[in-house]
Amino acid sequence: MTSQPTLKTAGSGSGEPGGSASGPGEHGSGLQAGLKNRHLSMIAIGGVIGAGLFVGSSAGIATAGPGILLSYALVGTLVVLVMRMLGEMSAANPTSGSFSAHADRALGPWAGFTIGWLYWFFWVVVLAVEATAGAAILEGWIPAVPQWGWALIVMVVLTATNLVSVGSYGEFEFWFAGIKVVAIAAFIVIGGLAVFGVLPGVDSDQAGLANLTDHGGFLPHGAGAILTGILLVVFSFMGSEIATLAAGESEDPQRAVTKATNSIIWRIGVFYLGSIFVVVCLLPWDSKSITEDGSYVAALDSLGIAHTGQIMNFIVLTSVLSCLNSGLYTASRMAFSLGRRGDAPKSFARTTSRGVPQTAIIASVVFGFVAVFFNYKFPDSVFLFLVNSSGAVALFVWLVICFSQLRMRKIIQAEAPEKLVVRMWLYPYLTWASAALIVFVLGYMLTDTEHDGRTTVLLSLLVAAIVLVIAVVRQRLAGRRGDTDAGARDGVRTG
């Protein structure tokens, strides 16, 4: 039985900005506020634009037709609500551990340990996936270097970037995210002009709002396809929470979290719903080019823009590098937070004089390299297991955020109500509704055999159960050691 959690001030005892850093002899100088406001703004904007949006949307369109817009809208609404909950907790107590640290305080050490390690596991697998995807594009441009060589080069460069300072990570991410934002904004503007017949040289018979209802209607495969579409698009939203982790190393963490939380609605509305709307209006949803070339490439092709494939490859590569950069940063900060709380080796919590958790970064990238090796050596066995067993972690994270917020709100109101600068709407009703929707999606995935939804959930639950058992055993052993130490101290006193 854990004691009632209490609200801590930002960075209190954690060596993070806003609190006293531990001495260099123990854990180094602690994380430092090296991220500027422009870095945080672009990290928040770019965090919701993953490579999955460019690469994976074609499968969703083919499955649900124009109705995929409803799938994106439902998942987008869920992400907005979850981010609002996370924003409420993070604005009150900004920390590099984000939801893992909040779960630790609200639900108990077992929750923080479990969800923290699962999230770390998710991102080190993502490192391998993205490194391989980026290497495939680079090999197509420069075939003299083998694909594994490009994967190695990309990983080494971004590792070096993260090891220099948090500011260098922020600068790289600022430009990576900036390219993504400019590219997708240009796509929406140009595509939108074509849809409404303002852009010259476009076949008006093919582009137009009629594509939303022609070719079998708005829901050509029925309303059930919306749920299937949700399964295909939900994982492309992972990464929106990165801004709350990065806020702990910013100049004004509370302001950064508040701004990121408040802007999530328009970011999802513009970049996801806006771009997918343009795609399904430019082309019939059942066009073969969407599945053969990819939704965005097919849409650009329909506009008669030259070299669309290479343009999109460049944009996807930028998204991949951005995801790799942020993935390594996120995994290392989660490992750092776990180390600070005693849930990981103490060396993970040590930082260099520049405030970089060097050991946490190296450990994360080593596991990333191991996963890359498995991808090349055992792609259909070991690596497939890694991908599937980490696939549902996003939903687990969101569910833990819901339950953490339900309890943290009471703690914050009791101890520091002035810290509630961000409030969850219609608390606790929307929180419970969000949790119920997440559980429903997980349950529906168990019925999905066509897109490996059942395999993903079952393997993810297996890994989560293993980590949870380890967490519970550790907590009980720690409790017994505490009781033994207390008994020994009592014996000394009575003696």
Side-chain angles (χ1 to χ4, degrees), residues 138-377:
L138 289 168
E139 185 189 29
W141 290 344
I142 308 177
V145 179
Q147 192 176 102
W148 66 265
W150 279 119
L152 180 64
I153 292 170
V154 166
M155 291 277 275
V156 168
V157 169
L158 292 181
T159 300
T161 300
N162 276 263
L163 285 173
V164 171
S165 69
V166 67
S168 63
Y169 153 73
E171 198 64 31
F172 266 70
E173 190 56 26
F174 176 82
W175 292 105
F176 284 152
I179 291 172
K180 289 191 296 184
V181 169
V182 170
I184 204 166
F187 174 82
I188 292 172
V189 171
I190 295 173
L193 293 175
V195 168
F196 292 102
V198 182
L199 192 69
V202 175
D203 185 359
S204 60
D205 292 334
Q206 188 178 34
L209 297 176
N211 284 325
L212 294 174
T213 52
D214 291 347
H215 310 280
F218 186 71
L219 294 170
H221 295 149
I226 298 174
L227 294 176
T228 306
I230 287 176
L231 305 185
L232 296 174
V233 306
V234 65
F235 303 110
S236 66
F237 283 85
M238 192 66 168
S240 53
E241 71 289 333
I242 292 176
T244 63
L245 279 85
E249 294 178 81
S250 66
E251 299 165 347
D252 188 348
Q254 189 178 77
R255 178 178 177 273
V257 169
T258 304
K259 187 175 180 180
T261 303
N262 290 336
S263 65
I264 187 71
I265 297 177
W266 72 260
R267 285 186 277 138
I268 288 177
V270 171
F271 296 122
Y272 275 84
L273 292 178
S275 64
I276 296 298
F277 173 81
V278 169
V279 169
V280 295
C281 285
L282 285 177
L283 286 170
W285 69 269
D286 54 357
S287 173
K288 290 183 179 180
S289 61
I290 289 180
T291 52
E292 291 176 355
D293 303 327
S295 53
Y296 288 82
V297 172
L300 289 173
D301 269 333
S302 72
L303 299 179
I305 298 177
H307 309 295
T308 54
Q310 293 304 322
I311 293 173
M312 190 51 59
N313 273 340
F314 174 74
I315 296 172
V316 171
L317 178 62
T318 302
S319 297
V320 164
L321 294 176
S322 171
C323 190
L324 264 172
N325 195 38
S326 290
L328 183 54
Y329 170 84
T330 305
S332 64
R333 268 38 177 198
M334 185 57 71
F336 170 85
S337 180
L338 288 167
R340 295 296 301 181
R341 304 199 303 269
D343 291 336
K346 289 183 179 180
S347 58
F348 283 17
R350 295 193 182 100
T351 57
T352 65
S353 59
R354 297 183 300 274
V356 175
Q358 181 174 285
T359 305
I361 292 175
I362 293 174
S364 299
V365 83
V366 164
F367 277 89
F369 275 125
V370 171
V372 169
F373 169 77
F374 285 143
N375 191 11
Y376 286 110
K377 193 71 175 176

Side-chain angles (χ1 to χ4, degrees), residues 89-131:
M89 296 184 288
S90 296
N93 186 23
T95 169
S96 65
S98 189
F99 50 84
S100 174
H102 303 321
D104 187 288
R105 294 165 187 156
L107 306 177
W110 63 269
F113 178 97
T114 303
I115 204 64
W117 276 114
L118 285 176
Y119 191 69
W120 179 87
F121 172 59
F122 170 85
W123 279 110
V124 294
V125 174
V126 166
L127 291 180
V129 174
E130 300 296 343

